[in-house]
Amino acid sequence: MSENKGQKTLADLKDESTKKTLADLFQRLAVEQEPEAPDAPPKSMDEYKFWKTQPVPRFDEKDSFKEGPIDAEKTIADVRTEPYPIHSSFEWTTLDLESDEDLDQLYELLYDHYVEDHDATFRFAYSRTFFNWALKPPGWEHNWHIGVRVKDTGRLIAFISGVPCDLTIRGNDIKSVEINFLCVHKQLRSKRLAPLLIKEVTRRVNLKNIWQALYSSGTVLPKPLSTCRYGHRPLNWGKLYEVGFSSLPQGETKASMIAKTTLSNETKTVGWRKMKEEDIDTVYKLYNDWRVRYEISQIMTKEDVKHWIYGGKQQDGKVIHTYVVEDKDTKRVTDFISFYVLPFTVLQNELHDNVGIAYLYYYASETGLGKFIKDEESQELLKKRLKSLVNDAMIEAKKINIDVFNALSSQDNALFLDDLKFGAGDGFLNYYVFNYRAKHIEGGIDDTTNAFSKTSSGVGVVLL
Ligand SMILES: CCCCCCCCCCCCCC(=O)SCCNC(=O)CCNC(=O)[C@H](O)C(C)(C)COP(=O)(O)OP(=O)(O)OC[C@H]1O[C@@H](n2cnc3c(N)ncnc32)[C@H](O)[C@@H]1OP(=O)(O)O
């Protein structure tokens, strides 16, 4: 990306940090200036013409309130039964993700319009298996894969999705969905289609008697529950340099950067192996015991664990990769760690046509369980364990040609990001819960420096 190389002003960086751009996902390895965390809202509450009408916390709210839903309780009978009116040249559509034709159209829309890439050099290489994983978890609703088409041509020009995702927020279990992949064709931007899509997905979710939703965005909206920072660990620095993701930091040579970022070939954690189907019960238990560490986490059934963490045959081993550690004496599974893969297609590069990208997903370790859950000694032990697990996960990722390993400052990631040589990216990710008031949750960023903090975050949920 050419923008990797030039010097940017703080204003440029702040402007970029409000969009979900490729730069959100990849750092400039030599960031000259620290980007500002999006603490201050970019505009006043009154200027959020849509969001000020929605049940979301305001920026000026104090943190001294009772946590819970914002709207007065409603029933399905209060929800409109008809879709919202749409401009006469467009029509609503429900995508059939079982059909190749609709999958292809979604692929094309997201490929061309989901992320901004000024050079048109990189595209997310979405695959059928990725959509099957991301958009069809247990309990998925056909009706929540919502598109807008041009009436005359049938062309898909906008999309928004919801999938079931129940949450626990500070001990309260909340029936909820996760909203993602909101996208409007570039030529139809700023025409208020996004608010219409959001209202329509809200209506369809409400009709299932669900009133809360989790979503994340680089854009600052009223009002983030938490903000995390991206971290990026080059696994194949030479290639990242050749495609333009990485620049050469001052005082370094290509050879020194490669030497600094090269991992060993073999994993080191004793008892490390790939997760098998028969591990689902144990991983389910570990996950559930583990997630109490966090102030917001995803509730998972065994079926959810099978889908999201094990992946199973339908994934064909291409999207979600999970490893466990088995105690060699007792044969008990004591840890698991997962990452998912979503590569980039590289256009117009003589040397490479793709970049392999992995994202750290859920993990849990017996080391972090128990009574002294976050005392100093337990944290030190956990830090050591997580370093070993994440390092081995990265070695596995390298074996399947992953070039960069991404992780957010969420979960307990702050314990290992610096030590395992993750560079702090210039993108921030804000987390929101629709129709729910909750006190701010630490996102693993130091308040004053914006560097990764030294302590764990309260965000246990991972969004795609
Ligand atoms: C209970 C169930 C509830 C379910 C719903 C829960 C809420 C779910 C919320 C959605 C979670 C999505 C999670 C993800 O997928 S985050 C990923 C979002 N997608 C992209 O960044 C892809 C590239 N960009 C685009 O396709 C468009 O720029 C989008 C579609 C983002 C906006 O289109 P456009 O640029 O043509 O603008 P407009 O004229 O139609 O509309 C302008 C209004 O939209 C507000 N806006 C802008 N960006 C976002 C954003 N990322 N989340 C929420 N709102 C956003 C904006 O502040 C303004 O409102 P206000 O400032 O006047 O108030």
Side-chain angles (χ1 to χ4, degrees):
M1 250 179 331
S2 63
E3 65 184 20
N4 284 9
K5 289 159 197 156
Q7 277 247 359
K8 301 254 164 180
T9 65
L10 261 186
D12 288 338
L13 288 168
K14 196 169 178 196
D15 181 47
E16 280 165 16
S17 77
T18 64
K19 297 185 200 136
K20 183 157 183 157
T21 59
L22 294 178
D24 281 348
L25 304 174
F26 294 95
Q27 67 159 359
R28 291 181 264 275
L29 280 181
V31 178
E32 303 281 335
Q33 293 160 305
E34 277 296 306
E36 286 179 355
D39 290 337
K43 56 186 184 184
S44 76
M45 194 63 211
D46 201 48
E47 288 168 287
Y48 283 94
K49 296 286 178 239
F50 168 66
W51 281 108
K52 73 177 178 187
T53 67
Q54 297 301 300
V56 291
R58 299 175 55 89
F59 287 117
D60 50 12
E61 280 187 12
K62 296 276 170 296
D63 252 6
S64 58
F65 45 72
K66 192 170 169 325
E67 302 206 338
I70 296 173
D71 263 348
E73 211 173 302
K74 289 187 200 155
T75 67
I76 295 177
D78 300 314
V79 183
R80 65 179 282 147
T81 47
E82 291 300 310
Y84 281 91
I86 192 163
H87 188 279
S88 57
S89 39
F90 300 134
E91 63 188 9
W92 291 111
T93 182
T94 297
L95 263 68
D96 177 8
L97 297 189
E98 306 278 294
S99 116
D100 285 355
E101 205 182 330
D102 280 12
L103 272 171
D104 287 347
Q105 290 177 2
L106 178 60
Y107 171 85
E108 272 167 38
L109 177 76
L110 296 182
Y111 185 87
D112 288 331
H113 305 282
Y114 193 54
V115 283
E116 321 262 318
D117 172 17
H118 306 302
D119 295 354
T121 317
F122 302 107
R123 304 291 173 94
F124 276 123
Y126 289 112
S127 61
R128 204 145 294 186
T129 37
F130 185 85
F131 287 140
N132 278 335
W133 182 63
L135 293 174
K136 292 201 280 186
W140 68 279
E141 290 279 340
H142 182 217
N143 214 21
W144 296 347
H145 298 154
I146 307 170
V148 174
R149 291 187 195 280
V150 176
K151 232 188 218 162
D152 287 349
T153 61
R155 180 155 189 203
L156 185 71
I157 51 94
F159 182 72
I160 193 164
S161 68
V163 294
C165 177
D166 294 341
L167 301 171
T168 303
I169 303 182
R170 292 201 183 87
N172 295 316
D173 289 353
I174 300 159
K175 194 132 195 64
S176 168
V177 294
E178 179 191 326
I179 304 295
N180 209 339
F181 302 108
L182 166 63
C183 182
V184 169
H185 189 291
K186 279 180 186 157
Q187 281 165 6
L188 294 165
R189 296 274 166 88
S190 305
K191 297 188 188 313
R192 313 303 294 178
L193 265 171
L196 195 59
L197 285 156
I198 295 168
K199 284 200 297 191
E200 182 59 16
V201 75
T202 304
R203 188 187 73 80
R204 295 189 192 190
V205 169
N206 286 167
L207 282 172
K208 293 284 170 184
N209 203 19
I210 298 175
W211 308 90
Q212 270 75 35
L214 172 72
Y215 50 105
S216 68
S217 174
T219 312
V220 180
L221 306 164
K223 178 196 173 180
L225 175 62
S226 187
T227 302
C228 295
R229 189 168 184 177
Y230 285 99
H232 313 280
R233 170 58 160 93
L235 304 185
N236 187 354
W237 191 88
K239 180 170 167 188
L240 295 176
Y241 179 75
E242 282 162 4
V243 297
F245 274 164
S246 303
S247 51
L248 196 58
Q250 263 190 347
E252 298 285 353
T253 62
K254 286 185 207 170
S256 71
M257 284 309 292
I258 290 168
K260 272 187 181 166
T261 52
T262 298
L263 294 166
S264 67
N265 289 328
E266 294 310 321
T267 59
K268 290 205 182 69
T269 315
V270 179
W272 176 268
R273 65 164 170 81
K274 207 162 174 46
M275 180 181 175
K276 300 180 200 158
E277 188 159 4
E278 53 262 39
D279 298 320
I280 290 174
D281 283 2
T282 332
V283 167
Y284 166 75
K285 183 166 186 326
L286 251 181
Y287 173 81
N288 269 302
D289 292 346
W290 175 264
R291 70 184 183 89
V292 300
R293 297 178 64 79
Y294 306 117
E295 286 164 86
I296 181 168
S297 66
Q298 179 176 353
I299 298 174
M300 287 211 208
T301 62
K302 264 185 209 165
E303 280 305 298
D304 291 327
V305 168
K306 182 173 181 188
H307 176 89
W308 287 119
I309 296 177
Y310 171 62
K313 288 197 182 65
Q314 63 156 327
Q315 303 310 329
D316 217 7
K318 285 185 191 133
V319 178
I320 179 82
H321 298 257
T322 307
Y323 295 85
V324 297
V325 181
E326 184 183 286
D327 185 282
K328 80 177 180 334
D329 300 323
T330 63
K331 301 287 172 216
R332 218 179 60 248
V333 166
T334 55
D335 313 68
F336 80 87
I337 183 161
S338 55
F339 60 85
Y340 68 90
V341 170
L342 178 54
F344 268 179
T345 299
V346 180
L347 309 172
Q348 299 152 23
N349 187 288
E350 282 174 10
L351 298 172
H352 307 285
D353 59 12
N354 73 81
V355 179
I357 305 164
Y359 297 81
L360 182 61
Y361 194 52
Y362 287 111
Y363 56 78
S365 170
E366 278 190 356
T367 312
L369 303 182
K371 209 156 97 187
F372 305 108
I373 203 157
K374 281 192 180 174
D375 69 22
E376 219 173 290
E377 198 184 329
S378 320
Q379 286 293 84
E380 269 314 305
L381 284 172
L382 179 61
K383 181 175 181 167
K384 202 166 153 222
R385 187 61 168 179
L386 289 182
K387 276 165 66 173
S388 165
L389 296 175
V390 177
N391 204 59
D392 282 354
M394 293 197 296
I395 289 169
E396 297 288 359
K398 183 77 180 73
K399 285 187 199 161
I400 54 162
N401 296 323
I402 296 301
D403 301 307
V404 57
F405 197 94
N406 293 337
L408 280 150
S409 59
S410 57
Q411 300 155 282
D412 286 270
N413 302 354
L415 299 181
F416 60 77
L417 288 170
D418 284 333
D419 288 355
L420 293 184
K421 301 181 186 161
F422 281 76
D426 51 4
F428 293 88
L429 190 67
N430 304 293
Y431 292 76
Y432 305 92
V433 180
F434 186 85
N435 189 24
Y436 200 83
R437 255 193 200 100
K439 293 186 186 79
H440 178 79
I441 296 178
E442 285 305 320
I445 312 175
D446 187 288
D447 285 345
T448 41
T449 63
N450 288 335
F452 298 134
S453 68
K454 298 282 165 250
T455 52
S456 299
S457 143
V459 177
V461 64
V462 184
L463 289 107
L464 308 183

